[in-house]
Amino acid sequence: MKQAERAPDFTLPDESGTPRRLTELLTAGPVVLFFYPAAMTAGCTTESCHFRDLSAEFAALGAQPVGVSPDPVDTQRRFSEAHDLGFPLLSDPDGAIASEFGVRRGFGPLRTKRHTFVIGTDRTVLAVIRSELRMSVHADKALDVLRSHRQA
């Protein structure tokens, strides 16, 4: 999935087991869809908590972060509760959605790459943020993209 492409619509269960559809999430504003390899790990906790810490800034821009990992619903729930995340964490256990977005690895213990997609309300990908090691860059760059898009 590249910038300016149209994101595929999909439905995945969130941390409470409630099905969430991308097009429904987009009715409230842009979605910052961030894929992470594994809940409860140091890097993914740092990244997710950074999104949480910037939640007021995302809300001010009418956007919301939404996390996606291959973890099962109950693990997503524990992860969300442990860190009071306050945004949806979607469960993609077979990696089907990660594959559609081009962030699925073919091998290794961490099957999902750490990528973030800033998606406009019309499902256009406004930006793709890639960094496996710099956890805070995802939320920071997503905010920059949303701010510049809002001014345009």
Side-chain angles (χ1 to χ4, degrees), residues 4-89:
E5 290 183 343
R6 192 167 160 93
D9 195 15
F10 63 85
T11 302
L12 288 173
D14 68 12
E15 72 284 356
S16 69
T18 303
R20 298 289 195 110
R21 187 172 180 169
L22 179 60
T23 50
E24 291 171 6
L25 291 166
L26 289 168
T27 61
V31 166
V32 179
L33 192 69
F34 68 100
F35 287 85
Y36 57 98
M40 308 294 212
T41 59
C44 296
T45 298
T46 298
E47 179 184 19
S48 298
C49 288
H50 193 59
F51 273 104
R52 177 203 63 205
D53 295 346
L54 296 174
S55 62
E57 293 181 52
F58 282 105
L61 294 166
Q64 72 169 318
V66 176
V68 182
S69 80
D71 296 293
V73 168
D74 63 323
T75 301
Q76 297 286 44
R77 185 187 74 255
R78 287 194 314 272
F79 186 45
S80 181
E81 289 171 355
H83 301 287
D84 195 26
L85 295 178
F87 50 78
L89 296 180

Side-chain angles (χ1 to χ4, degrees), residues 89-113:
L89 296 180
L90 307 181
S91 178
D92 182 25
D94 64 0
I97 304 309
S99 293
E100 282 193 59
F101 277 82
V103 299
R104 182 85 167 150
R105 286 189 178 95
F107 59 89
L110 300 177
R111 302 288 308 267
T112 300
K113 297 175 187 175

